[in-house]
Amino acid sequence: MSADIGAESKKSTDGFSEEEHAAIKERAAELRKEANRGRGNKAAAEELDVLSKIAEMEPSDRTMAERIHAIVTTNAPELSPKLWYGQPAYARKGKVVCFFRSGNTDKEPYSTFSFTSEAKLADDSGLWPTSFAVTELSDEVAKTITALVKKAVS
């Protein structure tokens, strides 16, 4: 019984959910994979990893992720697709600029499209968006994402 208490205590004191532990393990595996790839076809292999991850998603997330992938790769060709914490991301010189997170993976009612501090979205107002809940990709939403991606790499 004391072993159960210790395990339960460790689980509650580390502060991570099962989904967060899974994402951390996935990121560690990604880093090991990157280290073993070398320079050869790294970019092509990383894009295949992203496309494979997208193909595994639930249909609603897959549709959004495919369209976001097309938006980013068309409007910011200088960004390289790669996995980041098990989700599609787009990086400049190895540093993630933006990424998609599946709501189904996170057990959330919506997916997100977000930007890191590498994105050039800051402005003088002192307040700018960095993460967006996405439930569908209408033409208007696609235009907004396109504009944000272009600004992020400007």
Side-chain angles (χ1 to χ4, degrees), residues 59-77:
S60 60
D61 278 348
R62 183 180 328 121
T63 301
M64 288 188 291
E66 287 171 343
R67 192 155 178 208
I68 287 172
H69 180 78
I71 289 168
V72 174
T73 56
T74 300
N75 292 286

Side-chain angles (χ1 to χ4, degrees), residues 2-150:
S2 62
D4 290 340
I5 293 171
E8 186 176 313
S9 174
K10 181 174 178 3
K11 182 178 178 185
S12 63
T13 60
D14 75 1
F16 293 108
S17 69
E18 288 180 27
E19 291 81 14
E20 289 166 329
H21 277 291
I24 291 166
K25 287 179 183 177
E26 215 162 339
R27 182 64 181 142
E30 291 163 9
L31 291 171
R32 285 190 298 276
K33 195 178 206 180
E34 286 176 18
N36 292 330
R37 273 202 177 126
R39 293 183 180 245
N41 289 323
K42 185 176 178 179
E46 286 182 335
E47 183 163 18
L48 282 174
D49 289 344
V50 167
L51 294 173
S52 294
K53 180 56 83 173
I54 290 171
E56 294 170 4
M57 292 179 180
E58 295 292 323
S60 60
D61 278 348
R62 183 180 328 121
T63 301
M64 288 188 291
E66 287 171 343
R67 192 155 178 208
I68 287 172
H69 180 78
I71 289 168
V72 174
T73 56
T74 300
N75 292 286
E78 63 271 37
L79 297 182
S80 302
K82 66 182 281 172
L83 290 178
W84 194 50
Y85 294 97
Q87 297 293 309
Y90 304 87
R92 179 179 31 227
K93 297 180 182 175
K95 296 188 179 195
V96 172
V97 173
C98 56
F99 59 96
F100 176 82
R101 287 218 42 95
S102 164
N104 286 311
T105 298
D106 291 339
K107 297 181 178 149
E108 295 289 342
Y110 53 84
S111 296
T112 57
F113 184 66
S114 304
F115 296 87
T116 69
S117 59
E118 294 295 319
K120 297 178 180 174
L121 296 178
D123 63 34
D124 293 335
S125 72
L127 178 71
W128 56 87
T130 60
S131 188
F132 299 85
V134 184
T135 57
E136 66 178 88
L137 247 129
S138 65
D139 289 341
E140 187 175 328
V141 171
K143 285 179 188 175
T144 299
I145 289 173
T146 300
L148 287 165
V149 167
K150 286 180 178 181

